[in-house]
Amino acid sequence: MASSLALPAALLAALLALASPSLTPTHQAGVCAFYGECGTNPEVNVSLVSSRVPCLSNTPARVASGALLALLRSVCPELVRGDNDTTRVCCTYGQLVALRFSVGLSGAVLARCPACARNFANLYCHNICSPDQSLFTNVTRVTDYAPVPGARAVLEYQLFYRSHYAEAAFASCQGVRLPATGGYAIATMCGRYGAQLCTAQRWLDFQGDKNNGLAPLQIDFHLLPNGSEPGQDIAPLDAPVWSCDQAPSADQEPCSCQDCAQACPPVVPPADPPPPFRVGQADGALVICILIFAVLALVFLVAVLCRRGTAEVPQKPRGRGRSERAGDNWHRALERAFRWWGTAVASHPVAVLAVAVLATGGLSAGLVTLRLTTDPVELWSAPGSRARQEKAFHDRHFGPFLRTNQVIVTAPGRPGLTYNSAVLGTKNFSGVLAEDVLRALLELQDTLAAATAWAPRAGRNVSLQDVCYAPLNPTEPGVGDCAVSSVTQYFQNNGSHLALTATQEVGTDKATVDWHDHLMYCVNSPLSFKDITALELSCMAAYGGPVFPYIALGGYRDSEYTEAEALIVTYSLNNFAPGDPRLEWVQSWERRFLQVVRDFQRQHGRNLSVTFMAERSLEDEINRTSGEDIPVFATSYLLVFVYIALALGEYTAWRRVLVESKVTLALGGIAVVLGAVLASMGLLALLGLPSSLIIIEVVPFLVLAVGADNIFIFVQEFQQSQREPGETREQHLGRVLAQVAPSMLLCSLSEAVCFLLGALSSMPAVRTFALTAALAIAFDFVLQMSGFVALVALDNRRQEAGRFDLCCCCGTGTGGPGGAGARLLRPFLERYYTPLLLHPLVRPAVVLLFLFLACAGLFLLLQVSVGLDQELALPEDSYMLQYFSALNRYLAVGVPTYFITTGGYNFSSANGTNAICSSAGCDTDSLTQTIQLATLFPNVSYLAIPATSWVDDFLDWLNPMGRCCRFHQSGVDEGKFCPSTSSDLSCRKCLQWMRRPTAEEFQRFLPWFLQDRPTLHCAKGGLGAYDTAVSMDANGTILASRFMAYQRPLRTSQEFTAALRAARALAERITHTLRKVPGTDPAFRVFPYTVTYVYYEQYLTVVYEGLMTLVLCLVPTFAVSFLLLGMDLRSSLATLLTITMVLLDTVGCMALWSVPYNAVALINLVAPPAHAGGTSHRGHGHHGQQGGGRGGHDQPAGRGGAGVRQGAARPDLLLPPQPHHHPGGAGTWPGLPARAAQLHRYGPGHIPPGTGTAWHRPRCPPYPHPWDRDSLAPSPLSPMSSSPGHRDRLALSLLSPISSPPGQGQPGTIPVVLPLSPPWPCALRPPGPQGQPGTDPVVPHVLIPGAQGQPGTVPVVPTPSPCPPQPGAQGQPGTDPVVPTGPRPRVPAGEDTVGDRARGAGLVLGNPYFKDTEKDTEKDKDTEKDKDTEKDKDEEGVSGKG
């Protein structure tokens, strides 16, 4: 070891021999190297403090006495000997006063850690006043001091320290914090190296650099390890050092945990999040979902196989239960009510229309009071929510959060350069850190500084100084006082400073320094008032505050700030509450800001990439999008109108197009929808509820989808229904309405109830949307039952009169229906889709497919993210998207987060102070200590920078070692605050020794601290940093205070939500601790606040609220279905199961398409249970088909499915794509195949006659229904044979006869073709059960369209007749005898017609008075046109076999 140190020691001795050894010839104890003062240093041009230098004096130390000794005890107590010993020093009283000033400057920063402050002061005490000064000091350079002959001023000297002494002193100060910035104090004392690269050698070198603005002369520090001796009797200084966890004296405390890592108790890291649930190597949730699917599929397949392998055993007719009878009565009551209503409306259409228009217009008049909410806070955060209450508390005490306007400039593809600084070394500079780019940025800021904007309501021009945040001059700010964060602020936004160059002497060499050197220094020492280069520029911004590089620069790695890829300019503007006229000022200037930056972007777009935003940008872009969407919405409505007009019409010939068109009816349907929307919005406006753009954009299309569904169901049912003989037009319309209105009621009622339940959401936008949608759907149903029915009645009159649509004054003069028109969808569904869907192999496959999709959706449900990134709320052409992309890429720090204390806490008590602060003597679990510990784990707490603490800086400001807190002891200003810059001799320090202030002193001095402007003499002044951090009443009682920390950069809404959750948990822990302080109000609490919390709080509970909302929506959907479907439990459960499967499938698609779950998604998810119209119409229509075979299920799928899909699915396809639009067909397209398969597989339950909308109880004595599979006996002659597939063959045999029920022990018989008019002769009736009369048979037939303007005729019914055929005309074959028909009597309105009674007897596929769901008139016409003789022969063959 000694040999290894010999060479460095020898070299050092040689250097000392060359360094003018005659200046300090004597190196021994009790001898000085210099003494007294010899003027100022001629080599220092700019100094922030006095640059007076000592006089060369290698003489014995002087005895200290009197005032000098007293001052020495105060400043350098370690140099004072015992009472019996003589104290000697090498400094004068004047030097000691200057030393006290220098120690006071550092003490304001380091006093929070007593050990550090004492160690740092001792460095200078030994350097200036030690009696053994010459032992470790060697003067190397002097100059003559002219005022005193022979005197020489010291310009440079060497100091020799033991390495462990310097390292220990540095270690005691390395962790000391600056509460105002959240950084480290050492960063201000290490020059260009900052806190991260600082070492003991670099720390001392900066102290001795004469260019730092504080050192009066150059000092060269030499740190020597143990065993290394410099020679020439020099003895390196090795004084005592206190570790930071030690107290320097009995009346002092060790440093706190925040300033000293050694003082911290063991920190238990937070527990890691639980590992994901896995089964082996597989995802546990996936395994469970696979098992669920496997079990359900196995159970289903076993049930199918057992069902097919077991012959159906005939069962005795079972009795009808109470619920079935109640269902019968309920349906009869509904049908009769709707029949009466439809007949009444059709009888007085003009009056009904007038009432509907007046009522709608009256409610719509409420729109004059409509308030449109565009503020995102008002839209997505409930006034009573915790975040809104906390925001209101913050704004009430501290004012609204500052408004941010930001510009991000990059230079993609531009090469950088390597700069070799003679002073600071070699650094790489990115392409954007070039002089021309910086000058362009200066040009932009100069333009903005001079920009003015006109505020119309205020009637004045507004400039930047009128609205900017000026922290150090808030009363009368100028442009230079505005807080603008920019890299050019390192040059005080001055182009002359940017162009400045200087010659720098580096030893014996000279080099040129320019803006590169200054920037390299400032990014590592942003708090410096002067760099160490010959430029001698300050790093502080023009407004007097620092510019931190992590805010002004972006896209750098580690701390290599000169390699930054982005320059970030941030304007902080004052914010004002709504209603404050100054809010218009700042919004007007922001508009001008956007214009100026757009011009800058166009001007420099070729070389630079410029992205930008203003506080108003997000709201402006959303409003712009809404305005631009109006033509899109109008076009969509026009397309839907054209589609409805074309789809409703049945065109038989070109000459009848104008008569058969339905333009007026389509316009009426659109008007009904718009009227319902306007009426609902008007009513809510009258009730004082505001509206929003999402309501205006989405609700009309939502109601249109529902309304079009009902329109198609009703109109097509009316078109397909034939008027019965003797039935009036009004009675015909009433009868049709009675058939479809219960289904429409079911659909509308389910949707309205579901949306009303959606109004339980706490989010205002969702609540008002749900209320508006529910009211609009209800009004839409009411208007359809009144106004639209009246329009249909009028349109029917017009068409029968042969008058043109839209011009009822003209016409062909030929009325009556023209026959069935051409159709495409229904034939496709009937001929291809329905047979394929209900194929014996396809049916179980469909069920298994939807079971698989449901289980897959259940697994994917766990993968859906929760949140909504703000980019999704913007259009694709928005300039904000580029800004958000740049922000996420380049920003290196997150948003500030305040921890706010409410009233009821005593800060002025010693216990209260210690529970808040983080300096020496404070509690280990204090507020600021707890937050600081949380920053050690940013991945859990999401906090990166500890909280600023006005309490800590206030205690440092009171430190009597500095000159911050002083007051006038006498004179005209007696008792008033004395600034640190004042030299008034009457100024006295507030505290005479270091202690906690009393309650009276606390309340007296705190306002002075908050209004004290920071200066070099007192860097702890609270103006700018804390003047808005404390809210007090007139008596000085603290009502609220805040402590600002910084989050780490957050990119996604999931991270913002997690940060909110973590901050609230941390605040709850702090609240629990502070409530233990004596005198604390039990209601006192601490809560976190930042500007984003009001937006992301909803995601803390949106999952729970969504699940509850959907469950609540399913309950009334089931209840309404159960009630209106005749209390059929199995059909209602099938409906519920279908909707649940649709929800799971929808959520699964959300996961696959990376669609997050949020309030907007919840609105869309409410739509499937609400918009279960397709399932409702499907299930309700199924009750019109009695039976257990496929024929009882495929007909609604063919006819009802066509109507539902025409009415619901197709209009939705024409709606404009928008992020808030709900999937209108979600309850129809995905659910219909599964619903049909379910109904066919399991049946609708026992559906007695009279429970469907198309069924009525027969008049003749009843017998077990021929299509009730529970009452059928197998018969070889019947198509209801129990052989496998008998239902399929029956359903396909459309013209096969219907067998009558068997008698006792007898097979069923073929019914005799009878006249249509009852009563039939009882002798011709098929025999019934023993003791019972026979029943009327069913006669299948359809009407053949007649000639133009003539009614249809009854066709010949092909039946197996035993009679010989009648001879035909010459050359023609004979024909079967014609069955005679008779006229029907007229039936009063509201009573059952003959057709109704005939429908009650059984499924009559050819009956014109039954709703033909398998062969409507148009299909008959197609069949006749096609002349499919082979199929006819097959059908006749089947009939003949029967």
Side-chain angles (χ1 to χ4, degrees):
M1 179 67 180
S3 60
S4 65
L5 298 176
L7 183 58
L11 291 175
L12 184 58
L15 291 175
L16 292 175
L18 296 174
S20 301
S22 60
L23 295 179
T24 312
T26 303
H27 296 283
Q28 66 182 29
V31 177
C32 302
F34 43 77
Y35 181 83
E37 294 181 340
C38 285
T40 59
N41 191 340
E43 296 180 352
V44 176
N45 298 322
V46 178
S47 180
L48 302 175
V49 296
S50 176
S51 60
R52 299 184 69 82
V53 294
C55 300
L56 181 66
S57 179
N58 193 207
T59 57
R62 279 68 168 175
V63 176
S65 61
L68 177 61
L69 183 60
L71 185 59
L72 187 67
R73 283 195 175 96
S74 173
V75 180
C76 302
E78 284 75 21
L79 298 180
V80 179
R81 308 299 183 185
D83 296 337
N84 298 327
D85 296 334
T86 301
T87 299
R88 295 179 180 273
V89 294
C90 289
C91 60
T92 64
Y93 184 84
Q95 285 179 293
L96 194 57
V97 171
L99 176 61
R100 182 180 64 178
F101 177 75
S102 297
V103 171
L105 290 180
S106 62
V109 177
L110 303 177
R112 56 184 285 110
C113 180
C116 168
R118 190 69 260 153
N119 292 334
F120 185 77
N122 280 344
L123 290 175
Y124 286 95
C125 285
H126 286 287
N127 182 16
I128 302 299
C129 293
S130 174
D132 303 326
Q133 188 183 68
S134 63
L135 278 178
F136 52 85
T137 302
N138 186 60
V139 178
T140 57
R141 195 158 57 89
V142 296
T143 186
D144 293 334
Y145 181 54
V148 179
R152 289 184 292 180
V154 178
L155 299 181
E156 185 175 354
Y157 63 90
Q158 298 171 324
L159 283 177
F160 297 89
Y161 290 167
R162 285 297 178 191
S163 293
H164 67 84
Y165 165 70
E167 294 287 352
F170 171 73
S172 68
C173 295
Q174 188 175 15
V176 177
R177 292 276 185 174
L178 277 180
T181 64
Y184 293 95
I186 204 74
T188 67
M189 307 171 70
C190 211
R192 64 190 175 101
Y193 297 104
Q196 293 183 343
L197 302 178
C198 193
T199 63
Q201 181 69 60
R202 292 169 177 175
W203 178 50
L204 294 174
D205 288 343
F206 179 78
Q207 309 306 316
D209 192 338
K210 67 180 180 181
N211 295 316
N212 65 12
L214 297 173
L217 73 170
Q218 187 69 32
I219 305 174
D220 300 323
F221 289 90
H222 298 276
L223 307 184
L224 302 178
N226 290 336
S228 175
E229 301 295 337
Q232 296 185 359
D233 299 326
I234 294 178
L237 179 65
D238 192 5
V241 178
W242 288 272
S243 174
C244 63
D245 59 347
Q246 295 177 338
S249 62
D251 58 345
Q252 291 180 309
E253 299 280 349
C255 301
S256 68
C257 172
Q258 188 168 9
D259 300 318
C260 176
Q262 296 93 314
C264 292
V267 179
V268 179
D272 295 331
F277 171 58
R278 307 190 73 84
V279 178
Q281 299 297 322
D283 189 298
L286 178 60
V287 172
I288 291 177
C289 291
I290 292 176
L291 291 177
I292 292 175
F293 171 71
V295 170
L296 293 178
L298 180 62
V299 171
F300 172 75
L301 291 177
V302 169
V304 170
L305 294 177
C306 293
R307 188 186 183 98
R308 287 188 175 180
T310 304
E312 294 187 5
V313 179
Q315 300 177 359
K316 296 181 180 181
R318 54 179 177 147
R320 297 169 51 76
R322 182 179 302 174
S323 63
E324 295 172 343
R325 292 194 300 271
D328 292 349
N329 297 332
W330 170 253
H331 270 279
R332 270 197 298 271
L334 274 181
E335 292 177 2
R336 288 176 179 174
F338 281 116
R339 181 192 291 265
W340 175 86
W341 173 257
T343 304
V345 171
S347 302
H348 308 88
V350 177
V352 172
L353 270 179
V355 173
V357 170
L358 289 177
T360 304
L363 292 176
S364 301
L367 292 174
V368 298
T369 63
L370 181 68
R371 291 183 297 111
L372 198 62
T373 301
T374 57
D375 185 359
V377 175
E378 298 292 336
L379 285 173
W380 301 109
S381 182
S385 66
R386 177 178 172 181
R388 283 291 296 277
Q389 292 177 350
E390 292 171 349
K391 179 182 184 300
F393 183 91
H394 174 273
D395 294 352
R396 183 168 62 253
H397 291 283
F398 310 109
F401 202 86
L402 295 176
R403 301 176 70 91
T404 300
N405 296 260
Q406 204 164 60
V407 182
I408 301 177
V409 178
T410 59
R414 184 168 182 165
L417 58 85
T418 300
Y419 181 78
N420 186 15
S421 172
V423 182
L424 303 173
T426 302
K427 285 287 184 182
N428 294 324
F429 277 71
S430 64
V432 75
L433 279 174
E435 184 174 358
D436 60 328
V437 178
L438 296 180
R439 290 198 172 278
L441 210 59
L442 276 175
E443 176 188 352
L444 171 63
Q445 294 175 78
D446 290 341
T447 304
L448 290 171
T452 59
W454 177 254
R457 289 195 296 271
R460 53 161 292 181
N461 280 318
V462 179
S463 59
L464 177 60
Q465 58 264 35
D466 294 325
V467 296
C468 74
Y469 171 61
L472 298 179
N473 188 14
T475 55
E476 296 180 358
V479 174
D481 296 319
C482 295
V484 180
S485 175
S486 170
V487 67
T488 57
Q489 283 282 25
Y490 290 130
F491 306 92
Q492 294 75 49
N493 277 351
N494 190 321
S496 300
H497 291 178
L498 183 62
L500 194 63
T501 60
T503 301
Q504 180 84 33
E505 294 185 2
V506 184
T508 58
D509 298 330
K510 293 184 178 181
T512 301
V513 293
D514 59 7
W515 67 269
H516 293 89
D517 301 83
H518 180 67
L519 182 63
M520 290 169 62
Y521 181 84
C522 289
V523 293
N524 288 290
S525 185
L527 296 174
S528 297
F529 289 91
K530 180 178 176 292
D531 67 11
I532 62 174
T533 70
L535 297 174
E536 298 180 338
L537 294 175
S538 172
C539 295
M540 303 297 282
Y543 69 91
V547 176
F548 296 104
Y550 51 78
I551 294 178
L553 300 170
Y556 51 83
R557 57 179 180 85
D558 298 330
S559 296
E560 298 295 333
Y561 299 113
T562 58
E563 298 179 7
E565 299 178 4
L567 308 180
I568 304 174
V569 183
T570 305
Y571 283 79
S572 298
L573 307 182
N574 290 319
N575 203 355
F576 306 97
D580 192 319
R582 292 173 296 178
L583 183 60
E584 185 203 10
W585 299 4
V586 67
Q587 290 177 340
S588 300
W589 193 88
E590 286 176 349
R591 187 185 304 111
R592 179 60 180 156
F593 167 85
L594 294 174
Q595 295 173 355
V596 171
V597 178
R598 284 193 183 97
D599 294 340
F600 178 81
Q601 184 185 48
R602 285 191 291 267
Q603 182 180 356
H604 298 276
R606 293 184 178 180
N607 303 319
L608 302 176
S609 173
V610 182
T611 61
F612 55 93
M613 65 82 67
E615 188 75 19
R616 61 175 298 158
S617 293
L618 190 60
E619 189 173 341
D620 285 350
E621 284 297 281
I622 294 176
N623 293 340
R624 176 183 68 85
T625 305
S626 301
E628 293 178 352
D629 285 344
I630 292 178
V632 179
F633 296 147
T635 304
S636 301
Y637 251 79
L638 180 61
L639 292 176
V640 173
F641 158 72
V642 173
Y643 168 74
I644 294 176
L646 294 177
L648 287 182
E650 289 186 323
Y651 306 101
T652 57
W654 283 105
R655 57 188 177 82
R656 292 183 54 84
V657 166
L658 296 180
V659 175
E660 296 173 343
S661 70
K662 301 296 181 182
V663 175
T664 303
L665 211 55
L667 283 175
I670 299 293
V672 164
V673 171
L674 292 179
V677 174
L678 296 178
S680 62
M681 293 178 62
L683 178 59
L684 293 178
L686 290 174
L687 296 177
L689 294 179
S691 186
S692 61
L693 293 174
I694 188 175
I695 293 176
I696 297 176
E697 296 174 356
V698 178
V699 171
F701 294 98
L702 171 67
V703 182
L704 179 62
V706 178
D709 188 352
N710 291 339
I711 288 173
F712 276 93
I713 294 294
F714 176 48
V715 174
Q716 290 190 354
E717 188 72 24
F718 184 70
Q719 291 174 342
Q720 295 162 15
S721 173
Q722 298 294 327
R723 190 181 306 170
E724 297 179 353
E727 187 179 38
T728 65
R729 179 172 49 240
E730 291 76 13
Q731 291 173 340
H732 179 207
L733 193 144
R735 176 168 55 81
V736 172
L737 185 64
Q739 295 170 4
V740 299
S743 178
M744 296 166 64
L745 175 62
L746 169 61
C747 180
S748 300
L749 186 59
S750 299
E751 289 166 337
V753 172
C754 286
F755 280 113
L756 281 177
L757 292 174
L760 298 176
S761 173
S762 60
M763 284 166 282
V766 177
R767 184 172 59 253
T768 55
F769 175 89
L771 284 174
T772 306
L775 275 180
I777 290 172
F779 286 154
D780 181 63
F781 176 75
V782 172
L783 290 177
Q784 284 179 340
M785 291 295 101
S786 56
F788 189 74
V789 172
L791 282 175
V792 172
L794 292 175
D795 185 75
N796 190 31
R797 291 183 185 179
R798 173 197 61 77
Q799 186 171 353
E800 289 185 357
R803 299 188 179 275
F804 294 153
D805 192 13
L806 290 178
C807 184
C808 57
C809 298
C810 305
T812 62
T814 303
R823 293 181 180 273
L824 297 176
L825 185 59
R826 268 193 56 202
F828 167 77
L829 292 175
E830 292 175 347
R831 297 174 183 175
Y832 305 104
Y833 176 78
T834 303
L836 176 63
L837 177 64
L838 299 183
H839 189 275
L841 296 179
V842 175
R843 290 197 309 271
V846 170
V847 176
L848 289 176
L849 173 63
F850 276 83
L851 278 178
F852 170 77
L853 293 177
C855 293
L858 181 62
F859 168 71
L860 294 173
L861 179 146
L862 304 176
Q863 320 302 321
V864 176
S865 60
V866 178
L868 176 63
D869 294 333
Q870 50 193 347
E871 293 89 340
L872 298 178
L874 297 168
E876 295 182 355
D877 62 343
S878 174
Y879 65 90
M880 290 285 290
L881 292 179
Q882 298 177 356
Y883 167 78
F884 285 135
S885 175
L887 187 71
N888 292 334
R889 180 177 180 182
Y890 298 120
L891 196 65
V893 67
V895 296
T897 298
Y898 296 101
F899 288 85
I900 299 176
T901 64
T902 62
Y905 186 82
N906 187 5
F907 286 88
S908 61
S909 68
N911 291 329
T913 300
N914 292 336
I916 297 293
C917 63
S918 58
S919 56
C922 300
D923 297 341
T924 56
D925 57 352
S926 67
L927 180 147
T928 47
Q929 292 271 30
T930 304
I931 297 175
Q932 190 269 337
L933 291 177
T935 60
L936 300 178
F937 309 98
N939 290 334
V940 177
S941 68
Y942 294 88
L943 296 176
I945 300 177
T948 61
S949 173
W950 62 267
V951 175
D952 286 275
D953 278 339
F954 177 52
L955 296 178
D956 294 342
W957 184 80
L958 291 172
N959 192 336
M961 289 298 295
R963 48 188 291 130
C964 293
C965 185
R966 303 187 303 166
F967 63 91
H968 292 279
Q969 194 173 11
S970 60
V972 294
D973 295 328
E974 181 179 356
K976 295 183 179 179
F977 177 65
C978 178
S980 59
T981 55
S982 175
S983 301
D984 195 331
L985 298 179
S986 69
C987 292
R988 180 186 177 185
K989 293 182 180 179
C990 299
L991 302 180
Q992 299 306 311
W993 67 90
M994 189 62 187
R995 61 178 174 83
R996 292 285 190 262
T998 64
E1000 293 76 12
E1001 291 171 337
F1002 194 99
Q1003 293 185 354
R1004 179 187 179 190
F1005 301 146
L1006 180 59
W1008 294 356
F1009 162 72
L1010 296 177
Q1011 297 302 319
D1012 186 22
R1013 182 182 178 121
T1015 63
L1016 182 64
H1017 299 86
C1018 179
K1020 291 290 186 173
L1023 183 65
Y1026 302 119
D1027 57 311
T1028 60
V1030 183
S1031 174
M1032 297 184 294
D1033 61 11
N1035 298 324
T1037 303
I1038 296 178
L1039 303 176
S1041 67
R1042 63 182 182 180
F1043 302 83
M1044 183 179 69
Y1046 277 91
Q1047 295 176 344
R1048 68 177 178 86
L1050 305 177
R1051 311 298 186 192
T1052 64
S1053 60
Q1054 291 77 29
E1055 290 183 343
F1056 278 103
T1057 305
L1060 168 60
R1061 185 182 293 108
R1064 285 186 171 176
L1066 181 61
E1068 289 294 332
R1069 185 148 51 95
I1070 296 172
T1071 300
H1072 180 72
T1073 301
L1074 295 185
R1075 283 180 178 174
K1076 298 178 181 178
V1077 176
T1080 303
D1081 191 327
F1084 166 82
R1085 71 186 185 98
V1086 178
F1087 64 86
Y1089 170 76
T1090 192
V1091 68
T1092 60
Y1093 284 173
V1094 291
Y1095 303 108
Y1096 293 101
E1097 184 192 35
Q1098 57 180 297
Y1099 303 125
L1100 297 177
T1101 58
V1102 70
V1103 174
Y1104 172 77
E1105 288 185 0
L1107 290 176
M1108 292 301 299
T1109 300
L1110 292 177
V1111 170
L1112 289 176
C1113 286
L1114 292 176
V1115 171
T1117 301
F1118 171 78
V1120 172
S1121 300
F1122 179 72
L1123 183 63
L1124 295 184
L1125 291 180
M1127 301 183 183
D1128 180 7
L1129 181 61
R1130 285 199 290 179
S1131 292
S1132 301
L1133 288 176
T1135 299
L1136 191 65
L1137 177 62
T1138 302
I1139 297 172
T1140 304
M1141 294 169 65
V1142 169
L1143 286 174
L1144 290 175
D1145 296 344
T1146 304
V1147 176
C1149 291
M1150 289 173 58
L1152 293 176
W1153 297 335
S1154 300
V1155 177
Y1157 171 76
N1158 46 59
V1160 178
L1162 177 57
I1163 294 175
N1164 289 298
L1165 289 176
V1166 171
H1171 195 60
T1175 306
S1176 302
H1177 291 306
R1178 174 78 174 88
H1180 194 279
H1182 186 278
H1183 283 263
Q1185 313 298 325
Q1186 308 295 322
R1190 195 181 70 176
H1193 304 277
D1194 58 2
Q1195 293 175 14
R1199 187 183 66 80
V1204 170
R1205 295 187 177 187
Q1206 277 187 308
R1210 287 190 179 181
D1212 283 351
L1213 299 178
L1214 302 177
L1215 302 183
Q1218 49 186 313
H1220 306 301
H1221 179 60
H1222 82 291
T1228 303
W1229 282 102
L1232 195 54
R1235 176 73 164 125
Q1238 289 169 356
L1239 287 175
H1240 185 274
R1241 173 58 54 191
Y1242 303 109
H1246 177 69
I1247 307 177
T1251 57
T1253 56
W1255 298 90
H1256 295 271
R1257 189 175 303 278
R1259 299 297 182 185
C1260 289
Y1263 62 88
H1265 199 278
W1267 281 71
D1268 187 347
R1269 65 179 179 210
D1270 295 333
S1271 62
L1272 291 180
S1275 169
L1277 299 179
S1278 172
M1280 293 295 292
S1281 170
S1282 61
S1283 60
H1286 67 274
R1287 301 180 188 78
D1288 306 330
R1289 292 194 302 272
L1290 174 62
L1292 296 177
S1293 303
L1294 300 179
L1295 296 180
S1296 62
I1298 310 300
S1299 64
S1300 61
Q1304 184 175 2
Q1306 299 296 328
T1309 58
I1310 301 300
V1312 180
V1313 180
L1314 301 174
L1316 295 181
S1317 299
W1320 291 277
C1322 290
L1324 297 179
R1325 296 182 179 181
Q1330 185 175 3
Q1332 299 294 333
T1335 57
D1336 293 335
V1338 177
V1339 184
H1341 77 279
V1342 293
L1343 288 176
I1344 298 178
Q1348 184 174 0
Q1350 300 299 326
T1353 59
V1354 178
V1356 174
V1357 181
T1359 59
S1361 175
C1363 303
Q1366 300 292 331
Q1370 186 174 2
Q1372 299 294 332
T1375 60
D1376 290 335
V1378 179
V1379 180
T1381 61
R1384 291 179 178 268
R1386 297 176 59 88
V1387 180
E1391 294 188 5
D1392 293 343
T1393 63
V1394 176
D1396 296 333
R1397 291 192 293 271
R1399 285 191 301 276
L1403 178 62
V1404 186
L1405 298 178
N1407 193 336
Y1409 309 113
F1410 171 67
K1411 289 172 23 179
D1412 184 4
T1413 60
E1414 182 66 27
K1415 290 183 60 180
D1416 60 3
T1417 54
E1418 67 183 67
K1419 182 178 178 180
D1420 296 339
K1421 182 174 181 180
D1422 293 339
T1423 304
E1424 299 227 349
K1425 289 181 178 180
D1426 294 338
K1427 298 297 184 181
D1428 193 352
T1429 56
E1430 293 297 325
K1431 183 176 181 180
D1432 294 339
K1433 291 180 179 180
D1434 292 341
E1435 292 171 346
E1436 292 178 2
V1438 172
S1439 301
K1441 291 179 182 179

